Amino acid sequence: MNKVAIVTGAAKGIGRAIALRLAEDGMNIAINYRSNDVEANNLVDEINKLGVRAIAIKADISDFAQAEGLIKDTLKVFGRIDVIVNNAGVTKDSLLLRMTEESFDSVIEINLKGTFNCIKHVTPVMLKQKKGKIINISSVVGITGNAGQVNYSASKAGVIAMTKSLAKEVGSRGICVNAVAPGFIKTDMTAKLSLKAVEELSKAIALKRLGLPEDVAKAVSFLASDDSDYITGQVLCVDGGMVM
Ligand code: NAP
């Protein structure tokens, strides 16, 4: 029987690479997306060609009811949920003096509350199954902080604390909860950065290259597999040695 994984924000970037990798690992995939119908449906076709099943589910995970719908619809189609990767996330960067209340609230609503909404609805399903893997995508700036990202780094630090707290709550029931903290990965999110910012950030990377979405997907693949059954409450940095 194929395992079933949900990947949020999977139409592009890191989420897309994770969905493809878990499909290559033999899992059926529920691709969550917010706006990009075409990209999400293309990914469904690509994954179906790998010999597993994929569905696309449109839902804004910052909305409690829509997150519940995502979990229920996945369960209706596939009958079980073995893995969830809470990947959906946004940035709205600016220095604190210019940061609006709206840009603080919206980043927290999506990155932190969105992760809460998904774990809140998926955990009862995994408790019944007595097994499950919850993988939350944080960021190295949730550990180090970053100028211009008071909202984003707070949301990602919150995701780490949420990961550890839930890991303590559900460990006795066979559920592993871990976070992956990417460093500087080439996606649309980092394409917004200035050349100067890219140069500065690159200097701090021990491996002297930016990461690719596939680098993050490989780590997620491990945490989603049975090979990581004795690992929970951890933060795995995938950052080329940026933070150590
Ligand atoms: P990306 O290319 O901008 O993709 C983010 C995805 O999340 C998009 O598909 C987006 O959909 C989706 N999304 C945003 N808000 C959503 C919502 N409310 N409900 C459902 N989906 C939503 O970014 P990425 O670089 O792949 O980032 C993926 C994750 O890795 C994020 O959590 C990010 O914070 C984290 N991360 C990235 C880096 C990096 O260097 N790239 C570093 C550390 C951590 P729409 O297109 O419809 O908005």
Side-chain angles (χ1 to χ4, degrees):
M1 190 183 46
N2 296 64
K3 284 187 182 171
V4 176
I6 298 176
V7 185
T8 68
K12 63 174 183 167
I14 293 172
R16 187 177 197 283
I18 292 170
L20 272 171
R21 175 59 200 250
L22 297 183
E24 283 162 12
D25 292 345
M27 297 187 198
N28 292 329
I29 311 289
I31 296 160
N32 159 252
Y33 71 104
R34 178 172 64 168
S35 63
N36 205 330
D37 300 278
V38 175
E39 288 299 317
N41 289 322
N42 286 345
L43 184 58
V44 167
D45 292 342
E46 203 171 326
I47 288 179
N48 282 334
K49 283 185 198 138
L50 297 172
V52 292
R53 289 173 65 204
I55 53 167
I57 300 176
K58 190 170 190 159
D60 178 343
I61 51 99
S62 68
D63 181 289
F64 193 72
Q66 290 187 41
E68 182 178 25
L70 168 66
I71 305 304
K72 281 194 170 155
D73 289 350
T74 305
L75 211 50
K76 218 180 286 166
V77 175
F78 290 127
R80 58 182 295 113
I81 301 167
D82 300 279
V83 175
I84 186 164
V85 185
N86 292 304
N87 164 80
V90 293
T91 50
K92 281 197 183 170
D93 298 352
S94 67
L95 295 172
L96 178 76
L97 289 182
R98 285 196 212 114
M99 189 173 284
T100 62
E101 184 182 10
E102 187 281 326
S103 89
F104 183 83
D105 287 348
S106 67
V107 169
I108 297 290
E109 277 291 309
I110 295 171
N111 297 3
L112 185 59
K113 173 88 183 316
T115 302
F116 166 77
N117 290 342
C118 292
I119 62 175
K120 170 80 182 156
H121 296 297
V122 84
T123 300
V125 178
M126 292 181 172
L127 285 173
K128 261 191 214 151
Q129 293 170 183
K130 298 190 173 63
K131 185 147 190 188
K133 303 275 188 173
I134 295 174
I135 301 155
N136 298 324
I137 306 300
S138 176
S139 165
V140 289
V141 304
I143 301 168
T144 61
N146 196 24
Q149 293 194 311
V150 159
N151 50 3
Y152 181 77
S153 55
S155 74
K156 294 299 187 177
V159 165
I160 290 174
M162 196 182 266
T163 299
K164 293 178 180 178
S165 299
L166 184 62
K168 289 182 179 185
E169 285 186 26
V170 297
S172 65
R173 312 287 289 275
I175 303 172
C176 296
V177 192
N178 291 291
V180 170
F184 190 6
I185 311 297
K186 265 193 208 171
T187 66
D188 287 353
M189 188 176 272
T190 46
K192 293 179 216 158
L193 292 171
S194 69
L195 211 60
K196 191 163 170 280
V198 173
E199 271 171 24
E200 278 308 307
L201 281 164
S202 303
K203 279 185 202 158
I205 302 172
L207 293 179
K208 298 296 169 210
R209 69 168 177 88
L210 304 194
L212 300 173
E214 291 73 21
D215 291 314
V216 181
K218 287 175 197 168
V220 171
S221 163
F222 167 63
L223 290 174
S225 76
D226 294 345
D227 288 348
S228 61
D229 277 355
Y230 199 56
I231 298 175
T232 195
Q234 301 305 306
V235 183
L236 178 51
C237 292
V238 181
D239 66 350
M242 208 172 158
V243 172
M244 60 174 96

